[in-house]
Amino acid sequence: MRRHLDLLPRLLLRRHIHRRSRTASSPPLPPPPNPPRPPQKPEPVAIHGETWQDNYAWMGSLSDAAAMRHMDVHMEAEEKYAEACLAAAGADRLARKLQLEMASRLASDACTPPARWGPWLYYRRADEGKQYPVLCRRSAALHGEFISYSDPSAGFDFTAGKRIEQKLVDYNKEAERFGGYSYEELSEVSPDHRFIAYTMYDKDKDSFTLLVRDLVTGTLCDKPRADRVSNISWAMDGKALVYVVTNEDRRPYRLFCSIIGSNKDDILILEEPGENIYLNIRHTKDFRFITLNVFSDTHSKVYLIKASDPLSRMILVWEGESQVHCIVEHHHGRLYLFTDAAREGVRVNSHYLMQSDAESPGPKSWKNVFLEEPDIILEDVDFCSTHMVLILRQGRKLRLCSVNLPLPENIHVPAHLSDFHPFELPLPNHVCQILSGPNYDYQSSTMRFTISSPVMPDAVVDYNLLNGKWQIVQQQNMLHERTKVLYGNAFASSMGKLSSNSADLSSPNLGVCDWNELSDYYACEHYDVPSKDGVLVPLTLVYSRKHKREGNPGLLHGHGAYGEILDKRWRSELKSLLDRGWVIAYADVRGGGGYGKEWHRDGARTKKMNSIYDFVSCGEFLLEKGIIQENKLAGWGYSAGGLLVASAINTRPDLFRAAVLKVPFLDVCNTLLHPILPLTAIDYEEFGFPVDHEEFLAIKTYSPYDNIQKDVPYPAVFVTSSFNTRFGVWEAAKWVAKVRELTQYDPERPVILNLTTDVVEESKYLETKELATETAFLIKMVNDT
């Protein structure tokens, strides 16, 4: 599909041309420009006895060279219009000011916090002046007094006469190999620490290429070398590599085993010819087994492969319905299954944990570990040799607790969680997300987690599960302001008066330090907002204590799809809005995650309108309570969140003054009927199957492109899109054109299409520039009313 994209090369390059800076004494603002008017070429769309015309279907005709030439001309006009609109509003000058504000807060860390695995400390760091990082390691036992979280490469081995640090993979050199582009998807060090297997994106082949590097000699191994690799797992203690290859449609369908150092061809273990069957592998944390997940649109199965003999017969250990999440772990002769599959045909509301004897596994051998407790949701679980760590949710509150392993023999499962005497690990206030870290070292009782809060920069925390001590090893986006650390880089070595041992990564003794929250400066509040049908929707607010007043402007975030948790983490770029008196609000609408599977299902497929009503209700609540001033509410959505916000605008265009839609999913009906880019079964499970009449009617009800109100004023909208996104630029271009065509268009409320490229994600400068432009647009559209 992407081979057609080369018809529009200029669009991908034009985005890098810097706009000319104005002089300090700039002339008066120019008048608002007239928007582009792309040609209308009606094409009929017919299904279920209904027929309608799509005037802008030609924008998605990637194989039509003439259409793409017209699209090229139109995109050039859109770019000129965007620049003129921003200049007319004064947003271009404000964006340059905001970019300087944000740049200092977005300074990236020079190094990731080192992660211990066996005798080594692994980390990625940046070389000054280089675009890509370097993967390194150093001995955890050698000159431990030099080891610090912020500069792990410091020190010199005088005995050996060389630096302590060992470079494993220099991704700047990989960029030279792959045409100036370096993007790694998978990376696995072998359990004997001798090799590293990793996959690099090859732009020419539009796929990921598998490479294996010898970490002793630093050279690449002759084999395995394979394209379109989607999964890798080590076997035979690092002597063999098992990997999965996709077909041309990106379906993982073949499983291979390669013996490292052998001249023989890689061995095909399994091939699934069925077009709806997908393969996925992962190794258990103790490297005893490789689990093979086989998914289809009718079933899910999990097989167990002995890592010591990957060519031996695989054993079926679990099977169930389609589209379920299954992870199998092994601990001292016990298998643990973490899943959200139905129990005896009855759908469940959250994940749960089961166990089975590893010596006699089978689909019928599993037993629940914990009794179901309605008010507790099991979000995730991680294992080490001595403990399992559970991430739990009770309402809005997140918990992190450890349970000793092996489980006591005198407790018969299933049992209440409290029967296992879980130890509650410390957390700050207002935690909105907990993510398990790499935790490669199965034998270590120190586990790493990233703790997030709306009023605290992300904290990478090491917990010693044996004694409960904890330590922040890295915290993002900190900067010294007044007497409190707010932004810039901060590491454990500077976050408290720790003993010399506690600063040593090779020591199991961790210190204890304060959470670097921003609660003294920014408040976090929670509300339950009744939706249209009376269901209470969680709403989170963040605002500056110094700048809060009656009738502030505000930005409402939403997502509500795929059961994914809304990102409510502290983001430093939002400080520019907070410090200008804005209220940042987050609506956890149905369709999203965090509140059980039913919460997700109640906002998906035929119930998708629930998520839109939830978002609108939260916006109405903010205005009715005077939290946000009328005509000063803006919306923000990314990807499927863009669908949510655009649909909310269609439902209540008078509720919003402005909106930002980032790579949004807007033309739902046409995309599901005739996908231009590949869709998965999960996409249809989420948004509906248009071949089903009932679901088709539901899709037509909420699809943003098909429900634009005629002759009604719409808010100002800033739409960003790209040719290399999951939802193509033609969706955004079609929606923008149709809004201008049908609505009562106001030049003071422009609908702007902003074209970006993938390079934005690789450049802090371009990333900051995009964020500053979006923020400037919101401020000018909302504050200047």
Side-chain angles (χ1 to χ4, degrees), residues 102 126-127 162 174 199 212 251 266 271 293 374 377 385 390 546 552 554-555 590 677 680 690 692 736 759 782:
M102 295 177 179
D127 280 334
K162 59 183 180 181
E174 294 297 332
T199 60
V212 175
R251 180 179 67 86
D266 296 347
E271 179 174 358
N293 290 55
I377 292 176
S385 62
L390 309 174
K546 179 179 178 181
N552 293 57
L555 182 63
R590 281 172 284 184
L677 297 177
T680 67
D692 179 274
V736 166
V759 182
V782 173

Side-chain angles (χ1 to χ4, degrees), residues 123 285 292 342 348 374 381 510 584 629 673 718 739 777 783:
Y123 54 93
K285 297 190 71 174
L292 169 65
V348 299
V381 60
L510 300 179
I584 309 299
Q629 184 177 330
L673 279 172
F718 192 85
V739 168
F777 173 83
N783 285 14

Side-chain angles (χ1 to χ4, degrees), residues 244-492:
V244 176
V245 170
T246 68
N247 63 8
E248 293 183 354
D249 295 327
R250 304 178 192 272
R251 180 179 67 86
Y253 77 121
R254 282 179 175 172
L255 181 67
F256 286 93
C257 179
S258 177
I259 307 300
I260 304 300
S262 171
N263 294 324
K264 296 181 179 179
D265 291 340
D266 296 347
I267 302 167
L268 178 64
I269 300 176
L270 177 67
E271 179 174 358
E272 284 289 356
E275 62 179 18
N276 293 320
I277 300 178
Y278 301 80
L279 306 181
N280 183 76
I281 59 172
R282 64 179 295 274
H283 62 78
T284 57
K285 297 190 71 174
D286 61 359
F287 286 96
R288 292 285 301 277
F289 298 98
I290 294 173
T291 60
L292 169 65
N293 290 55
V294 181
F295 300 104
S296 76
D297 52 4
T298 59
H299 67 269
S300 301
K301 296 181 180 181
V302 182
Y303 294 87
L304 212 60
I305 300 172
K306 288 185 179 180
S308 59
D309 187 7
L311 301 181
S312 62
R313 184 178 67 90
M314 59 183 69
I315 302 172
L316 177 66
V317 295
W318 185 86
E319 59 183 338
E321 72 274 21
S322 64
Q323 308 299 331
V324 295
H325 183 221
C326 306
I327 294 180
V328 173
E329 267 300 342
H330 175 258
H331 181 276
H332 293 191
R334 289 277 178 186
L335 295 175
Y336 289 89
L337 173 66
F338 179 65
T339 184
D340 60 355
R343 283 177 168 146
E344 298 178 353
V346 179
R347 294 197 300 187
V348 299
N349 193 41
S350 66
H351 284 77
Y352 55 95
L353 190 67
M354 295 194 291
Q355 71 172 16
S356 173
D357 190 343
E359 294 299 322
S360 54
K364 305 296 185 182
S365 64
W366 297 96
K367 294 181 180 179
N368 289 316
V369 176
F370 304 116
L371 288 169
E372 187 174 0
E373 300 182 49
D375 60 333
I376 297 179
I377 292 176
L378 179 58
E379 296 252 328
D380 203 358
V381 60
D382 203 349
F383 290 83
C384 68
S385 62
T386 58
H387 294 79
M388 73 167 73
V389 178
L390 309 174
I391 301 175
L392 306 169
R393 183 184 292 273
Q394 287 184 272
R396 281 194 176 94
K397 183 181 180 182
L398 281 169
R399 296 167 54 194
L400 186 66
C401 60
S402 62
V403 174
N404 290 345
L405 289 178
L407 298 178
E409 294 184 2
N410 61 332
I411 298 179
H412 299 286
V413 297
H416 289 285
L417 174 61
S418 57
D419 294 336
F420 299 97
H421 306 291
F423 181 83
E424 298 286 340
L425 299 170
L427 293 172
N429 297 320
H430 307 297
V431 175
C432 63
Q433 181 175 282
I434 302 174
L435 294 178
S436 182
N439 297 323
Y440 302 119
D441 198 337
Y442 179 73
Q443 300 302 325
S444 174
S445 295
T446 296
M447 297 189 74
R448 181 168 293 174
F449 294 87
T450 299
I451 312 298
S452 301
S453 160
V455 287
M456 184 191 77
D458 285 357
V460 182
V461 185
D462 280 355
Y463 290 94
N464 187 326
L465 306 180
L466 297 177
N467 56 26
K469 291 185 178 182
W470 58 281
Q471 183 179 12
I472 298 176
V473 297
Q474 191 178 69
Q475 196 154 18
Q476 304 291 330
N477 300 329
M478 306 285 288
L479 178 71
H480 288 280
E481 182 169 316
R482 298 180 186 174
T483 59
K484 189 178 178 70
V485 177
L486 289 185
Y487 302 96
N489 295 334
F491 295 88

